[in-house]
Amino acid sequence: MAELEIPSVMPKIITFLSSLLNRVAESNDLNQQQLIHQKISVFHGLTRPTITIQSYLERIFKYANCSPSCFIVAYVYLDRFTQRQPSLSINSFNVHRLLITSVMVAAKFMDDIYYNNAYYAKVGGITTIEMNFLEVDFLFGLGFHLNVTPNNFQAYCVHLQREMLLMQPLNFADSSLSLENSLKTHLCFNEDESSSHQNQQQLAV
């Protein structure tokens, strides 16, 4: 979308994405029963990173130099990944690694010019070997489903725009897009373009 190229738009998207992911991670951290049954993966750190999700995402935005659309596509990938991996929910132990990996994969798929894994590893504060493992695991977790159609991209952009508005004291008739619902679940648009908007699926995270 052309709006993404406007300088004032991307910082707002970064802020909202970090806010959404932070709420999702905190919600899942509090869900003790879910933590018991949660799959421990290569994305899971031994301790919670000291850097906040917003600061981490801002760092990626500053140094990755990827196209703005990569962050929307990374958001799509995170939705797909968690939908295909129901036992691996987003929490404070894995969200940072999921973020750096999803943005890197999106940049490789979307941009003609992009940095290599060693560079992204430095940006993300991990080793190159770990970055390589994360990329492979993420790709298999996605089932190598990387293509994002224009309609899907537009749908996620519209969803983000509506959620950004809902961060303000505004009311919308469509309750499925409420920020309150986003605190517990991460909405995922049905990727079957022939399906109606009513067939949206919810990702348990």
Side-chain angles (χ1 to χ4, degrees):
M1 294 178 66
E3 291 86 348
L4 296 179
E5 303 297 335
I6 301 175
S8 61
V9 172
M10 276 309 298
K12 294 179 181 178
I13 292 179
I14 295 299
T15 298
F16 172 73
L17 280 176
S18 60
S19 176
L20 175 61
L21 289 171
N22 188 64
R23 290 170 184 269
V24 169
E26 288 182 348
S27 177
N28 288 328
D29 286 345
L30 294 174
N31 191 340
Q32 297 297 326
Q33 183 176 1
Q34 189 177 43
L35 287 176
I36 295 175
H37 300 286
Q38 183 178 354
K39 172 184 175 183
I40 302 299
S41 71
V42 294
F43 298 96
H44 196 93
L46 296 177
T47 60
R48 292 182 176 89
T50 56
I51 185 172
T52 65
I53 296 175
Q54 179 163 346
S55 295
Y56 194 69
L57 197 54
E58 288 174 348
R59 175 178 171 81
I60 297 173
F61 176 65
K62 179 179 180 180
Y63 293 107
N65 291 321
C66 58
S67 61
S69 60
C70 288
F71 290 89
I72 304 298
V73 173
Y75 170 53
V76 177
Y77 289 169
L78 286 174
D79 250 348
R80 291 178 181 175
F81 185 84
T82 52
Q83 185 178 28
R84 290 176 59 92
Q85 311 291 326
S87 62
L88 204 166
S89 58
I90 295 176
N91 58 43
S92 59
F93 288 92
N94 62 25
V95 62
H96 295 77
R97 287 175 172 82
L98 284 170
L99 268 175
I100 189 66
T101 309
S102 61
V103 173
M104 184 185 74
V105 171
K108 287 186 175 184
F109 188 78
M110 296 292 295
D111 294 349
D112 295 327
I113 301 176
Y114 52 83
Y115 291 113
N116 59 22
N117 288 27
Y119 181 86
Y120 272 96
K122 290 182 179 180
V123 173
I126 57 179
T127 66
T128 302
I129 293 177
E130 185 177 8
M131 187 78 261
N132 294 340
F133 276 117
L134 294 177
E135 179 184 27
V136 171
D137 199 84
F138 193 72
L139 289 171
F140 275 97
L142 285 173
F144 291 86
H145 183 197
L146 300 178
N147 187 48
V148 178
T149 66
N151 284 351
N152 292 151
F153 186 88
Q154 176 71 20
Y156 276 90
C157 285
V158 170
H159 173 62
L160 280 175
Q161 289 170 349
R162 290 181 180 180
E163 289 280 10
M164 289 169 71
L165 289 175
L166 285 170
M167 292 181 72
Q168 303 174 14
L170 299 175
N171 295 320
F172 288 84
D174 188 355
S175 60
S176 67
L177 293 175
S178 71
L179 185 60
E180 179 181 357
N181 289 339
S182 294
L183 301 185
K184 298 181 180 179
T185 59
H186 189 188
L187 290 179
C188 174
F189 288 95
N190 192 321
E191 303 213 34
D192 182 358
E193 294 181 345
S194 63
S195 299
S196 67
H197 195 65
Q198 295 178 347
N199 290 330
Q200 290 179 348
Q201 299 177 347
Q202 285 190 336
L203 271 181
V205 292

